[in-house]
């Protein structure tokens, strides 16, 4: 396992993995809130006005997603969320519209409807060959990635991704059914 630290906002430390992906870059997200400094101000604005504020980091991320998707690489994430939603989850339902427009497929899975094991850690899986786990410090702040190509870990991560993705609900449909919760 290789530790990768650095900037998480925008392209950050993800860029090399997205640019190397040939088939897929898929994400399992299981936390109900995150402490990402680039998101603090947009979340406050949304809380006060329901306005969505695009940040430089968000624009960079969407450009990376668009670039990756334009090469024919599937970019997708499934968010396993608690219902009722945290404020962060409710905000993301609105704030991820630019991600979807850039080509990222996003599904939501209410935690109480998930069958099977839900991992405790978020991860990106690239081409079913490499897993990058998000890492946090003792205060919950994101600090980087733990990256591995161990085939046993990759197989578990891939099986988890596919099972959760298949149970997930497309973002647009999820918003209609669950946005108020």
């Amino acid at each position: 396992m290789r530790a990768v630290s650095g900037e998480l906002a925008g392209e950050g430390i993800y860029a090399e993995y997205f640019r190397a992906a040939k088939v897929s870059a898929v994400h399992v997200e299981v936390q109900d809130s995150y402490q990402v400094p680039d998101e603090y101000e947009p979340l406050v604005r949304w809380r006060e006005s329901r306005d969505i504020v695009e940040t430089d980091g968000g624009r960079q991320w969407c450009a990376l997603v668009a670039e990756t998707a334009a090469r024919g690489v599937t970019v997708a994430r499934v968010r396993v969320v608690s219902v009722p939603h945290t404020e962060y989850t409710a905000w993301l339902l609105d704030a991820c519209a630019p991600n979807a427009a850039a080509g990222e497929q996003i599904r939501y899975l209410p935690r109480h409807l998930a069958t099977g094991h839900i991992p405790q850690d978020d991860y990106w899986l690239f081409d079913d060959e490499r897993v990058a786990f998000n890492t946090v410090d003792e205060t919950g702040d994101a600090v980087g990635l733990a990256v591995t190509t161990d085939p046993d870990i990759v197989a578990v991560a891939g099986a988890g991704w596919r099972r959760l993705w298949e149970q997930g609900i497309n973002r647009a449909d999820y918003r209609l059914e669950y946005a108020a919760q």
Side-chain angles (χ1 to χ4, degrees):
M1 189 95 49
R2 181 170 74 101
V4 179
S5 60
E7 181 62 46
L8 292 172
E11 288 188 1
I13 55 179
Y14 295 104
E16 82 173 85
Y17 301 109
F18 275 75
R19 292 199 170 105
K22 295 177 178 67
V23 177
S24 61
V26 296
H27 187 46
V28 172
E29 198 171 285
V30 296
Q31 310 304 317
D32 284 317
S33 66
Y34 295 87
Q35 296 182 32
V36 180
D38 193 52
E39 297 176 340
Y40 294 162
E41 196 271 332
L43 180 57
V44 169
R45 286 270 303 272
W46 179 83
R47 180 184 305 132
E48 294 170 353
S49 67
R50 296 298 189 237
D51 289 341
I52 298 300
V53 176
E54 288 191 70
T55 64
D56 288 343
R59 282 187 283 276
Q60 290 172 14
W61 177 259
C62 289
L64 180 62
V65 167
E67 171 192 320
T68 305
R71 292 188 293 111
V73 175
T74 297
V75 180
R77 77 172 68 209
V78 59
R79 289 187 168 129
V80 181
V81 296
S82 297
V83 178
H85 294 143
T86 63
E87 179 184 57
Y88 188 90
T89 297
W91 169 68
L92 274 183
L93 273 168
D94 291 339
C96 68
N99 300 48
E104 185 174 338
Q105 301 170 48
I106 303 170
R107 291 186 180 178
Y108 282 80
L109 176 58
R111 195 174 310 275
H112 68 279
L113 297 180
T115 60
H117 174 72
I118 299 173
Q120 293 188 351
D121 299 308
D122 293 1
Y123 60 87
W124 279 95
L125 175 64
F126 299 95
D127 295 334
D128 266 324
E129 296 175 347
R130 178 183 321 268
V131 181
F133 294 94
N134 294 356
T135 59
V136 296
D137 66 16
E138 62 280 349
T139 65
D141 289 338
V143 293
L145 304 173
V147 180
T148 184
T149 56
D150 180 302
D152 292 335
I153 295 172
V154 168
V156 170
W161 152 255
R162 284 181 279 283
R163 182 175 37 76
L164 296 170
W165 178 254
E166 289 169 5
Q167 296 175 62
I169 302 166
N170 287 326
R171 175 184 166 267
D173 295 335
Y174 187 84
R175 285 189 80 207
L176 292 174
E177 187 168 346
Y178 287 93
Q181 298 185 20

